[in-house]
Amino acid sequence: MDTRRENLAISGGTPTHNGDWPTWPDIDSDTEGLVLDVLRGARWAISDINNGVQLYERRFAEDFARYNGVPYCVPTSSGTSALTIAFESLGLTRGAEVLVPGLTWVACASAVAACGLVPVLVDIDPGSLCMSVDSLMAAISPRTEAVLAVHYMCNMVDLDRVLEICQQRGLALVEDCAQAHGAVYSGRRVGSFGAIGAFSMQNSKVLTSGEGGACVTSDAAIFERMQQFRADGRCYSGLVSSGSTPDLRECGEVQGRNLCLSEIQAAVLLGRLRCLESQNERREAMASVLDEMLADMDAVETVPGVAGATRRTYYRYCLRFDLAKLDGPVIEQIRREIEAELSLACFTVHDPLNASPLYNPLKSPQKYDPGVLPRLDPTQFDLPGAKAARETYVTLPHRVLLGTRDDMVAIAGAVSKIVRAHRH
Ligand SMILES: *Cc1c(COP(=O)(O)O)cnc(C)c1O
């Protein structure tokens, strides 16, 4: 074997990094105090009798709405629940089409399908990793009623153009911000542009309570409906301290179910939200350092931010390899080589949704209207951009961007070492 290859950590060479990376999720003593307060306070869920103390869930909702520059927030049990109440509250026609990017987590499509709607998979641009505006336009049909714009990995959707299209065509816009808490576009937080912004606070996200989610909106009527859809038809009474009445009033205007966040999770989010801005700043600064180090490197590209990006956030740091310049490795091999160099679990992007083992409604036909079932077949969609991205990107978890400048030097060094080992 070529000595350049023998030196790779995967072949027994010395790793570029010892694996001592920042851990995730992380915790601080203020947040620990808030969680203990909940645990000792005899009130672990919002659906019970008021004990004279303001709910943590309300405190988090108020802070998160303010953080996002909108009046309303409804916390939920997960990002999937957030997408669910978002689409339920829009009152779309059963069987209507929702345009969903073909490269994202499966919940984006499965949650839409579970609401009785039809996800139409739209290709992405492998350079930006987000929905291609041309593909979006081409996918609009008379049955289209909404667009789910996903701010993916480390980038944002071209909101100026997507908003314009939605307004012209009368489509509802939902923003999926599960990978973009705190990102700013044209001076405003993402999630505040569409009718609803949906967030996940699952373990891997930059704001997390293990499991959790939230929707934000500026529309009072949508807020009222979302509350009821996630709490069995109940919404906040606004009364505090009676000591004998529930916080949740029975409104019963829609058919809801229980998709509520617990008080323990809300306390975690309330505390961790206070750290989000400084952590986002840190990640953005380290990503810029890495961008600069990789700028002139052969056969590797990073993702340029969309025009209009004021403030980028990073769920993953994304490395795009020009495989034509290398001696034949597939992306899975490069991913494993980077893992070995950095002593760190690394990823690709998601599987395109027309070829994902986790997304195919036809596997559970009993869950869907027989009439719409053929329209739910994901294999009918052509997603060459998503496939190209799946085959050329390696992605690093955001916790590495909370590391030091030396850590960034190690990442750039590992990438350079691997490229040199494979260069023709
Ligand atoms: C994580 C994620 C979700 C789903 O969130 P859960 O909390 O896991 O249900 C939805 N959309 C995107 C883009 C995600 O990354």
Side-chain angles (χ1 to χ4, degrees), residues 339-397:
E339 273 194 348
E341 288 305 331
L342 297 179
S343 312
L344 170 80
C346 298
F347 309 88
T348 59
V349 294
H350 293 106
D351 287 325
L353 291 178
N354 62 351
S356 166
L358 303 183
Y359 179 62
N360 192 340
L362 274 56
K363 289 176 180 172
S364 302
Q366 72 284 359
K367 290 178 65 176
Y368 306 95
D369 294 342
V372 301
L373 209 52
R375 296 164 61 208
L376 295 175
D377 182 354
T379 64
Q380 72 191 286
F381 301 103
D382 197 24
L383 303 169
K387 182 166 187 283
R390 174 65 180 81
E391 289 168 357
T392 51
Y393 276 94
V394 173
T395 69
L396 311 181

Side-chain angles (χ1 to χ4, degrees), residues 106-161:
V106 293
C108 298
S110 61
V112 166
C115 291
L117 302 164
V118 176
V120 168
L121 303 180
V122 172
D123 205 11
I124 59 105
D125 170 358
S128 74
L129 287 174
C130 288
M131 191 137 73
S132 145
V133 176
D134 291 339
S135 302
L136 176 75
M137 298 254 271
I140 296 174
S141 86
R143 289 203 272 207
T144 312
E145 292 189 11
V147 173
L148 178 61
V150 180
H151 305 297
Y152 193 60
M153 292 286 174
C154 60
N155 209 1
M156 286 169 261
V157 170
D158 185 343
L159 281 168
D160 282 336
R161 292 184 65 200

Side-chain angles (χ1 to χ4, degrees), residues 77-83 104-108 148 150-152 176-179 198-205 210-213 315 350:
S77 56
S78 71
T80 302
S81 305
L83 289 169
T104 180
W105 179 236
V106 293
C108 298
L148 178 61
V150 180
H151 305 297
Y152 193 60
D176 183 329
C177 309
Q179 304 187 3
F199 293 81
S200 165
M201 279 69 154
Q202 179 270 342
N203 202 71
S204 68
K205 317 291 162 131
E211 298 283 3
Y315 172 65
H350 293 106

Side-chain angles (χ1 to χ4, degrees), residues 157-345:
V157 170
D158 185 343
L159 281 168
D160 282 336
R161 292 184 65 200
V162 169
L163 264 177
E164 195 188 336
I165 294 166
C166 288
Q167 276 157 9
Q168 275 171 4
R169 304 313 256 318
L171 307 176
L173 177 65
V174 175
E175 290 176 78
D176 183 329
C177 309
Q179 304 187 3
H181 313 66
V184 180
Y185 182 93
S186 289
R188 266 168 62 191
R189 298 273 187 212
V190 299
S192 68
F193 289 83
I196 300 165
F199 293 81
S200 165
M201 279 69 154
Q202 179 270 342
N203 202 71
S204 68
K205 317 291 162 131
V206 297
L207 176 65
T208 181
S209 47
E211 298 283 3
C215 282
V216 298
T217 186
S218 298
D219 184 315
I222 288 178
F223 171 61
E224 294 300 332
R225 284 200 295 276
M226 288 199 299
Q227 281 199 63
Q228 296 180 50
F229 276 119
R230 70 76 208 252
D232 292 306
R234 294 168 295 175
C235 48
Y236 287 109
S237 62
L239 305 170
V240 179
S241 88
S242 67
S244 58
T245 55
D247 285 277
L248 297 177
R249 184 166 55 84
E250 295 188 357
C251 304
E253 292 161 347
V254 303
Q255 181 56 63
R257 61 185 133 155
N258 180 11
L259 300 171
C260 294
L261 188 75
S262 79
E263 283 292 276
I264 301 161
Q265 293 165 316
V268 175
L269 292 179
L270 182 69
R272 295 309 296 162
L273 178 58
R274 295 171 189 160
C275 305
L276 178 61
E277 199 62 5
S278 66
Q279 291 194 327
N280 272 348
E281 272 169 31
R282 169 109 197 148
R283 280 185 288 259
E284 192 183 32
M286 286 300 129
S288 306
V289 167
L290 254 184
D291 285 348
E292 221 166 279
M293 289 176 180
L294 296 169
D296 298 324
M297 205 177 290
D298 203 24
V300 184
E301 275 171 63
T302 55
V303 178
V306 67
T310 310
R311 183 69 187 286
R312 294 179 70 180
T313 56
Y314 291 82
Y315 172 65
R316 301 266 181 80
Y317 187 82
C318 301
L319 299 159
R320 187 187 193 189
F321 289 88
D322 185 348
L323 297 177
K325 291 186 175 166
L326 306 178
D327 62 1
V330 293
I331 202 64
E332 178 55 16
Q333 184 182 342
I334 295 181
R335 187 192 68 77
R336 283 192 287 111
E337 288 173 356
I338 294 178
E339 273 194 348
E341 288 305 331
L342 297 179
S343 312
L344 170 80

Side-chain angles (χ1 to χ4, degrees), residues 22-79:
T23 55
W24 192 264
D26 63 349
I27 187 71
D28 59 282
S29 53
D30 284 352
T31 304
E32 285 172 359
L34 297 173
V35 173
L36 268 182
D37 188 50
V38 172
L39 292 175
R40 291 169 178 161
R43 186 69 196 277
W44 293 358
I46 62 172
S47 51
D48 210 331
I49 299 302
N50 183 289
N51 60 352
V53 179
Q54 196 190 12
L55 289 166
Y56 272 90
E57 201 255 14
R58 285 322 299 153
R59 291 173 63 187
F60 168 68
E62 280 169 21
D63 282 9
F64 198 57
R66 191 176 319 113
Y67 177 79
N68 286 297
V70 296
Y72 307 114
C73 169
V74 180
T76 58
S77 56
S78 71

